[in-house]
């Protein structure tokens, strides 16, 4: 169930984010999303008398992970979709497994092999296909800003994933830890947007963007992020983040079906190359 939630529901969030930022400022969208989801989890813990005391050390660790995994990664992904399509955002996000792998290699947690190198080259070839005929788009400031924001989001998410997997054991329960992270992120993201646009109004928020916000809070954060956090306690980090290529298929299909986003032959070839690279890097023969 956790695998399904991460693979499917996170694929739908790219579409929901794109719909949400049509009328809602991106950091407010991400902030309110996490405030709602964090409050829902807090209510569940309170109702079931499972709230825990949080030490300063536990709070600092949760704060750091919140900044990396939600404020930076989720916030910047939401911001990027103000300027790029949901399909392109999901396609670039498939670089996450490569980023995690490269960081693991640099930190000495994994060793470079011929198979790994071949998989990385395939993935990089996919990215080359995406930009081979659209390098001129990078001259557009908004487009370039969206791409850079998403690449930064991928890096922060990868660092946070490794910290969760390799860091010191946190005695807090998973739900309590996630609850704290979401509430922290909600406050920080909302504050950021208020500093950027202090006079923003909610009058022009469309009902479809608000519906997307509620969907993101429930299925993107409560269901998806809790399932992701659980999977990291059960499986290696490289195997968990490989689910991003299933997110890609879901996001591309929904973007085409609902938002009329174009899927070109170049995108199809890039998708095949990137997915093949990820599969090769993470494939292990059964003993």
């Amino acid at each position: 169930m956790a695998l399904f939630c991460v693979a499917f529901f996170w694929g739908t969030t790219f579409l929901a984010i794109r719909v949400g930022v049509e009328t809602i400022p991106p950091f407010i969208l991400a902030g309110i999303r996490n405030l709602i989801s964090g409050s829902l989890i807090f209510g569940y813990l309170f109702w079931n008398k499972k709230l825990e005391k949080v030490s300063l050390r536990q709070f600092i660790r949760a704060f750091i992970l919140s900044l990396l995994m939600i404020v930076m990664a989720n916030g910047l992904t939401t911001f990027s979709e103000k300027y790029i399509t949901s399909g392109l955002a999901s396609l670039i996000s498939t670089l996450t497994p490569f980023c995690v792998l490269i960081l693991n290699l640099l930190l000495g947690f994994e060793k470079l092999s011929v198979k790994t190198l071949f998989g990385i080259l395939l993935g990089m070839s996919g990215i080359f296909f995406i930009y081979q005929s659209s390098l001129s788009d990078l001259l557009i400031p908004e487009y370039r800003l969206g791409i850079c924001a998403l690449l930064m989001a991928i890096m922060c998410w990868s660092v946070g994933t490794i910290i969760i997997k390799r860091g010191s054991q946190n005695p807090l329960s998973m739900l309590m830890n996630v609850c704290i992270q979401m509430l922290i992120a909600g406050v920080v993201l909302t504050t950021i947007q208020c500093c950027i646009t202090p006079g923003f109004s909610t009058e022009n928020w469309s009902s479809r963007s608000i519906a997307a916000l509620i969907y993101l809070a429930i299925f993107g954060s409560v269901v998806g992020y809790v399932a992701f956090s659980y999977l990291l306690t059960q499986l290696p980090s490289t195997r968990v983040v490989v689910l991003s290529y299933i997110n890609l298929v879901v996001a591309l299909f929904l973007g085409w079906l609902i938002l009329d986003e174009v899927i070109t032959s170049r995108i199809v070839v890039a998708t095949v190359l990137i997915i093949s690279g990820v599969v090769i890097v993470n494939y292990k023969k059964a003993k």
Side-chain angles (χ1 to χ4, degrees):
M1 286 300 295
L3 285 167
F4 172 79
C5 288
V6 174
F8 178 76
F9 286 121
W10 269 4
T12 65
T13 57
F14 288 98
L15 170 69
I17 289 173
R18 181 67 175 174
V19 172
V21 297
E22 287 176 349
T23 59
I24 302 176
F27 293 123
I28 280 288
L29 177 67
I32 296 178
R33 164 189 176 178
N34 282 285
L35 285 174
I36 293 173
S37 55
S39 299
L40 289 173
I41 295 175
F42 181 87
Y44 169 81
L45 293 172
F46 178 79
W47 183 262
N48 290 277
K49 299 180 180 180
K50 293 184 178 180
L51 289 175
E52 305 169 41
K53 290 184 178 180
V54 182
S55 67
L56 179 60
R57 183 176 181 180
Q58 291 167 344
F59 180 81
I60 291 174
R61 185 174 189 272
F63 184 80
I64 292 172
L65 288 174
S66 177
L67 290 181
L68 287 170
M69 304 287 284
I70 307 181
V71 174
M72 296 296 291
N74 181 256
L76 288 175
T77 298
T78 305
F79 175 79
S80 72
E81 289 200 47
K82 188 75 176 175
Y83 306 106
I84 62 178
T85 65
S86 62
L88 181 58
S90 64
L91 185 55
I92 297 175
S93 293
T94 55
L95 289 175
T96 304
F98 292 110
C99 192
V100 171
L101 173 65
I102 292 171
L103 288 174
N104 278 327
L105 289 172
L106 293 175
L107 294 171
F109 296 143
E110 295 189 30
K111 293 183 179 179
L112 185 64
S113 64
V114 175
K115 175 176 72 70
T116 299
L117 183 60
F118 181 62
I120 291 175
L121 290 176
L122 275 180
M124 293 302 104
S125 299
I127 295 300
F128 173 75
F129 261 91
I130 295 174
Y131 293 111
Q132 185 183 25
S133 64
S134 58
L135 288 176
S136 58
D137 290 341
L138 293 175
L139 297 177
I140 304 172
E142 293 79 8
Y143 180 85
R144 186 170 64 245
L145 182 61
I147 296 296
C148 291
L150 188 54
L151 292 176
M152 180 62 72
I154 291 170
M155 176 60 71
C156 292
W157 183 267
S158 302
V159 172
T161 300
I162 292 175
I163 290 176
I164 291 176
K165 192 65 185 176
R166 299 284 179 174
S168 58
Q169 195 68 23
N170 193 335
L172 283 177
S173 67
M174 180 194 68
L175 280 180
M176 188 66 191
N177 201 21
V178 169
C179 174
I180 295 171
Q181 289 181 38
M182 287 179 175
L183 291 175
I184 291 172
V187 173
V188 173
L189 285 164
T190 305
T191 303
I192 289 173
Q193 189 67 65
C194 289
C195 292
I196 296 174
T197 53
F200 74 91
S201 173
T202 61
E203 292 180 359
N204 62 339
W205 292 10
S206 67
S207 56
R208 113 178 191 144
S209 289
I210 294 173
L213 168 60
I214 296 171
Y215 179 88
L216 286 168
I218 297 174
F219 292 98
S221 294
V222 175
V223 176
Y225 192 62
V226 169
F228 175 81
S229 299
Y230 169 75
L231 284 176
L232 283 179
T233 66
Q234 306 296 315
L235 299 172
S237 58
T238 49
R239 290 183 62 187
V240 177
V241 295
V242 86
L243 291 169
S244 61
Y245 71 78
I246 303 179
N247 298 161
L248 169 64
V249 176
V250 174
L252 284 175
F253 175 74
L254 290 177
W256 166 79
L257 180 67
I258 298 175
L259 299 180
D260 296 324
E261 294 179 356
V262 179
I263 300 178
T264 64
S265 58
R266 187 176 296 277
I267 289 179
V268 173
V269 172
T271 302
V272 171
L273 287 172
I274 291 173
I275 291 177
S276 300
V278 172
V279 171
I280 289 172
V281 165
N282 290 275
Y283 174 77
K284 292 182 180 179
K285 292 183 179 178
K287 294 183 181 180

